[in-house]
Amino acid sequence: MPGLLRPLHEAEGGWLSWGANDLYAFNPVWLILYHRFTLAQELLNLMWDYTSGADMNWYAGNIYVEVVGINAYPRNQPNPLSAQYEQRKAEFSGCKLLAISEFGGVPNVSLMQQYGDFWDWFASRNGTVK
């Protein structure tokens, strides 16, 4: 059975210890995790979800990622995030699954369909973001 792994999310934001605005430390850590899980532990059923912002310098590389996700907390919660979808779609030309890996609220699925923003999935986050 496949599993989804979303390690080291939001690294370029600098508010989490694994990023701290240092992409030269982040990328080697991603590769260490990837090799440890896939080669040493032989967990070949994992799908790796890279969840980050727009700066693709942080991207670990196509062979280390199956899903490209974003985290979003828009003021207008039903927002389908069209601009972000179009950007990711253009960057990855259909070669990666695109996800809203963390969302504050629930996007308006009817608007997503209307605009042609076909995220592969989205996950809502409950609770207050501080």
Side-chain angles (χ1 to χ4, degrees):
M1 173 178 276
L4 180 67
L5 185 62
R6 186 173 73 112
L8 310 173
H9 65 284
E10 300 178 1
E12 87 288 2
W15 50 82
L16 299 168
S17 62
W18 48 81
N21 293 317
D22 186 357
L23 72 96
Y24 300 106
F26 170 80
N27 283 323
V29 171
W30 182 282
L31 296 180
I32 289 168
L33 286 172
Y34 182 88
H35 288 289
R36 176 69 181 179
F37 280 67
T38 59
L39 299 176
Q41 299 298 320
E42 297 183 3
L43 297 172
L44 304 177
N45 60 339
L46 291 176
M47 293 180 64
W48 290 75
D49 181 347
Y50 169 80
T51 303
S52 198
D55 184 352
M56 293 309 296
N57 289 316
W58 292 80
Y59 185 60
N62 283 340
I63 64 172
Y64 305 107
V65 174
E66 284 79 36
V67 180
V68 177
I70 66 167
N71 290 350
Y73 290 88
R75 293 181 195 269
N76 174 12
Q77 286 188 350
N79 184 337
L81 304 172
S82 296
Q84 293 90 330
Y85 177 79
E86 291 302 323
Q87 178 185 358
R88 292 293 195 229
K89 183 179 171 187
E91 288 169 340
F92 294 98
S93 304
C95 69
K96 298 293 173 195
L97 294 171
L98 304 178
I100 305 174
S101 302
E102 189 177 303
F103 193 86
V106 178
N108 185 320
V109 176
S110 296
L111 280 178
M112 286 178 166
Q113 292 173 337
Q114 180 181 342
Y115 298 149
D117 302 335
F118 296 107
W119 294 100
D120 290 295
W121 75 81
F122 62 87
S124 295
R125 178 180 171 152
N126 293 327
T128 304
V129 176
K130 297 179 181 183

